[in-house]
Amino acid sequence: MALLTRIRGPRDLDRLTPAQLPALADEIRTFLVEEVSKTGGHLGPNLGVVELTIAMHRVFDSPRDRILFDTGHQSYVHKLLTGRQDFSQLRMKGGLSGYPSRAESEHDVIENSHASTVLGYADGLAKANQLQGHHDRTVVAVIGDGALTGGMAWEALNNIADAKDRPLVIVVNDNERSYSPTIGGLANHLATLRTTKGYERFLTWGKDALQRTPVVGQPLFETLHGAKKGLKDFIAPQGMFEDLGLKYIGPIDGHDLVALESALTKARGFGGPVIVHCLTEKGRGYRAAEQNDEDRFHAVGVIHPETGLPIKSSGGKDWTGVFADEMVALGRERKDIVGITAAMLHPVGLAPFAKAYPDRIFDVGIAEQHAAVSAAGLATAGLHPVVAVYATFLNRAFDQVLMDVALHKLGVTFVLDRAGVTGTDGASHNGMWDMSIMNLVPDLRLAAPRDADQLRAQLREAVEVDDAATVVRYSKGTVGPAIPSFGRIGGMDVLRESTEGADGHRADVLIVAVGSMAATALETADLLAAQGITSTVVDPRWVKPVDAALPGLAAEHGVVVTIEDNGRSGGVGSAIAQALRDAGVDVPLRDFGIPQEFLDHATRDQILAEIGLNAPAIARQVTALVAKLTSAGSVTASVQA
């Protein structure tokens, strides 16, 4: 790493000769494979942008020139070139973020890890430069890994093209992929650009081929030659960008440093909006990634650096795998079931369904809003769409869930993977908003399975609903053991029922366990029992609407406790509190959930401990509450010191 260790900031690149730059690129790739294999992270995207990032930092002067990445997971090389070369705690507590982080460096302008936003930021920054008289500064927006499939990107392009004198360089990192191969009309357009050898070379081929064709060859060639403008747009459709008013440069070999620097220098000197189209290879330089057709090692766990194989297995079935298997079974039983995802076919578990029923799967690209409205159209026609996305990405489709699905009383099921605290990907990827947001939607029904059996059962219950939107949300990682119920009260599963508590109460505390927090609720009940506090633990299964039997059950207890891995504001606890008030049940309620703040990256367990959402912390607070109420005469439990 003789060259890389000499780079402490972008201007250190100026001291390297052109002949040294390929060696630096090789060192960076070696570093990435060695370091990311130890921690996990977004490996494939960063292997693909090594030369591109070097070239950008040689041509532009960051942070004076603003360099933005979309999505931010392709910024590891940028981190290295801006002085952050300790990757030992990447995505871990106290270490580097897996995305740009303004707390880490002045070179990180935005912290976007939800795709398709960068061009909007760039438009605003370029406008600000113009208003503030910074005419010698350029905004550089790197957009790739499928982000151009998002509608927001095209809304921004429409605005960017409106100003001819704002220096703004749009670098299209075209690696043919988002997580998996990028699909859609734009992908086909870029593929055409990718394979274009140029209009004149096409004519040369046409002349040679057609003139060898008897009788019709020469007249046909002359006809094609006469149709130059239309033919050029067909063969080299960069005209689509130019028709928007954007200067287009490319396609450029994204691994040719000389070509990249030349193109970027020309773009910088233009003085207005320019698109530089770069062709890159995701996973480049790492054989294991290059040979991985699924996602080119888009994101990896801890792997063996030489083979790319996982160091250790997860040790059991994960939530996504359970959903994947059940979707295939449902597809076999019901021909009206169709799957929709937003550029995440493999991550959300719809790949097996796609393989089994290729005509019934729709990957819409990074376009969650379109996914929801398209699902509404499918449901209107009598099908039952299952839209599978990460929980945090459903935020982007709220209006469509509300106005296009729920308002029309359509049977669409939204399956939310990675709900709750996910940890290592940081604030943007914790799925802590979905239940709060969905609680606002009239008639929507929301299920939170506690284990694999319940996921299977509740998914089946959800797709039976044909007159309302349904949501099934579950956590990330390995599914724990099955948690049995010992009966039902209303639609709620009873997971633990103590002997009758004091003063005629069924038990001192009613614990309402939401989804994957059921195990935490049971552990909390054990800790309370050690303090002489009896408890009933129920899993409502469907947390929206609040079960009609819950207020009556709450009235039979001295305290109600809710535990959910969702934001406390507007979450399940809030909904239950409202239901108790509406029913006139005046029982103290304590809701435990995620505070409404952006959480730094760390492991799930570390975050849960920090925010007091584990059994010991919950039990301590409940014990104190019961003791306070006991001293006031509200609860008569015998609390040990």
Side-chain angles (χ1 to χ4, degrees):
M1 303 295 171
L3 295 175
L4 181 57
T5 55
R6 288 158 53 183
I7 305 298
R8 288 289 173 252
R11 299 285 52 86
D12 291 336
L13 292 169
D14 299 341
R15 291 192 283 272
L16 299 184
T17 66
Q20 290 175 306
L21 296 178
L24 174 63
D26 289 342
E27 288 186 15
I28 289 173
R29 285 196 170 89
T30 299
F31 177 95
L32 290 173
V33 172
E34 290 179 352
E35 295 301 317
V36 178
S37 66
K38 299 174 186 174
T39 62
H42 289 94
L43 182 55
N46 289 285
L47 291 171
V49 297
V50 176
E51 290 85 2
L52 176 57
T53 310
I54 292 172
M56 286 192 300
H57 275 298
R58 278 174 58 86
V59 171
F60 298 101
D61 184 18
S62 176
R64 182 180 181 82
D65 295 324
R66 306 294 190 95
I67 300 178
L68 323 175
F69 290 87
D70 189 352
T71 62
H73 62 232
Q74 56 186 329
S75 63
Y76 291 11
V77 184
H78 166 76
K79 288 176 185 275
L80 291 174
L81 299 181
T82 53
R84 288 165 284 174
Q85 297 183 8
D86 181 2
F87 274 45
S88 61
Q89 299 293 309
L90 178 68
R91 302 165 73 241
M92 299 179 188
K93 183 176 174 60
L96 291 178
S97 168
Y99 295 94
S101 169
R102 290 185 291 181
E104 288 179 8
S105 173
E106 64 179 344
H107 298 280
D108 289 3
V109 184
I110 57 175
E111 303 189 8
N112 62 321
S113 46
H114 283 194
S116 309
T117 62
V118 74
L119 298 183
Y121 278 110
D123 180 48
L125 285 165
K127 288 173 178 173
N129 280 343
Q130 186 177 56
L131 289 171
Q132 295 166 356
H134 300 317
H135 302 297
D136 59 341
R137 301 182 184 182
T138 302
V139 179
V140 184
V142 184
I143 184 164
D145 242 19
L148 262 178
T149 61
M152 284 189 294
W154 291 90
E155 293 175 19
L157 278 173
N158 187 52
N159 283 271
I160 289 168
D162 191 49
K164 311 302 182 189
D165 56 348
R166 295 187 193 127
L168 198 167
V169 176
I170 300 167
V171 178
V172 177
N173 171 28
D174 179 10
N175 63 12
E176 306 183 54
R177 291 172 174 265
S178 43
Y179 286 81
S180 302
T182 306
I183 55 87
L186 176 65
N188 291 333
H189 168 82
L190 293 177
T192 305
L193 291 175
R194 211 178 290 121
T195 56
T196 294
K197 299 299 183 183
Y199 169 72
E200 295 302 332
R201 273 176 284 178
F202 175 81
L203 283 183
T204 299
W205 167 84
K207 182 177 182 179
D208 291 341
L210 292 174
Q211 287 186 341
R212 290 194 300 269
T213 305
V215 184
V216 299
Q218 181 64 30
L220 180 56
F221 170 74
E222 291 173 354
T223 300
L224 290 176
H225 196 277
K228 182 172 182 178
K229 176 62 170 68
L231 183 61
K232 182 175 181 180
D233 282 349
F234 176 74
I235 301 302
Q238 63 264 30
M240 182 182 72
F241 293 114
E242 292 178 343
D243 287 346
L244 285 172
L246 296 165
K247 188 68 175 177
Y248 174 90
I249 299 175
I252 306 297
D253 182 347
H255 304 293
D256 183 333
L257 279 157
V258 174
L260 285 167
E261 287 195 31
S262 175
L264 292 171
T265 300
K266 291 175 183 175
R268 183 191 62 192
F270 181 66
V274 182
I275 285 181
V276 180
H277 180 197
C278 302
L279 310 181
T280 64
E281 298 175 20
K282 195 168 185 174
R284 183 181 176 93
Y286 183 32
R287 182 175 295 274
E290 292 174 340
Q291 294 180 341
N292 182 270
D293 290 334
E294 179 178 313
D295 66 0
R296 298 286 177 88
F297 281 20
H298 175 82
V300 298
V302 179
I303 60 174
H304 192 289
E306 293 182 6
T307 66
L309 297 174
I311 295 293
K312 57 181 180 180
S313 66
S314 61
K317 194 80 170 179
D318 63 12
W319 290 94
T320 307
V322 174
F323 163 71
D325 292 345
E326 199 63 23
M327 271 296 290
V328 172
L330 280 168
R332 184 167 53 248
E333 298 165 19
R334 289 181 46 174
K335 297 188 182 303
D336 64 326
I337 296 284
V338 296
I340 302 177
T341 188
M344 302 176 75
L345 189 69
H346 292 274
V348 299
L350 280 177
F353 184 90
K355 183 177 180 180
Y357 315 106
D359 295 334
R360 290 155 57 188
I361 189 72
F362 303 98
D363 185 342
V364 301
I366 303 177
E368 291 84 2
Q369 291 174 294
H370 175 68
V373 180
S374 180
L378 287 161
T380 300
L383 301 175
H384 192 104
V386 176
V387 181
V389 295
Y390 283 6
T392 184
F393 295 151
L394 189 67
N395 305 355
R396 309 173 73 159
F398 170 72
D399 186 64
Q400 288 67 40
V401 174
L402 179 67
M403 293 298 177
D404 298 299
V405 178
L407 177 64
H408 292 82
K409 301 186 184 302
L410 295 172
V412 177
T413 296
F414 295 90
V415 173
L416 307 186
D417 201 318
R418 271 73 161 175
V421 171
T422 57
T424 53
D425 276 329
S428 64
H429 277 54
N430 289 314
M432 56 179 282
W433 323 103
D434 57 285
M435 290 198 289
S436 299
I437 293 171
M438 293 301 107
N439 263 327
L440 299 174
V441 180
D443 301 322
L444 180 141
R445 308 176 198 183
L446 196 157
R450 67 180 181 269
D451 59 24
D453 291 341
Q454 286 302 305
L455 171 53
R456 298 184 188 98
Q458 291 180 267
L459 178 61
R460 287 179 170 274
E461 292 168 25
V463 298
E464 289 297 325
V465 177
D466 60 7
D467 61 352
T470 54
V471 176
V472 181
R473 57 106 68 179
Y474 47 82
S475 189
K476 176 184 180 180
T478 304
V479 184
I483 299 175
S485 71
F486 301 98
R488 278 201 176 173
I489 299 174
M492 300 176 291
D493 280 349
V494 179
L495 308 184
R496 177 188 178 117
E497 191 164 23
S498 301
T499 56
E500 186 171 298
D503 199 27
H505 289 128
R506 183 192 294 260
D508 300 316
V509 179
L510 171 64
I511 301 177
V512 181
V514 177
S516 64
M517 301 307 291
T520 299
L522 290 170
E523 184 182 351
T524 299
D526 290 338
L527 294 173
L528 293 177
Q531 300 296 318
I533 300 172
T534 60
S535 59
T536 303
V537 180
V538 297
D539 170 12
R541 303 184 72 252
W542 290 85
V543 297
K544 181 184 183 334
V546 174
D547 195 284
L550 186 54
L553 180 62
E556 299 174 3
H557 294 76
V559 175
V560 176
V561 170
T562 65
I563 306 176
E564 60 185 301
D565 56 347
N566 183 78
R568 292 179 63 206
S569 179
V572 177
S574 295
I576 291 174
Q578 181 68 55
L580 298 188
R581 290 193 297 271
D582 291 347
V585 176
D586 189 19
V587 175
L589 183 145
R590 179 64 59 86
D591 58 326
F592 292 91
I594 303 171
Q596 299 302 144
E597 60 189 53
F598 294 111
L599 305 172
D600 288 337
H601 55 277
T603 67
R604 174 178 165 86
D605 288 344
Q606 286 173 331
I607 292 174
L608 293 178
E610 286 179 3
I611 64 178
L613 199 53
N614 58 9
I618 295 170
R620 281 194 298 271
Q621 292 193 53
V622 174
T623 298
L625 175 62
V626 171
K628 179 179 178 180
L629 294 173
T630 299
S631 64
S634 301
V635 178
T636 57
S638 174
V639 182
Q640 299 176 5

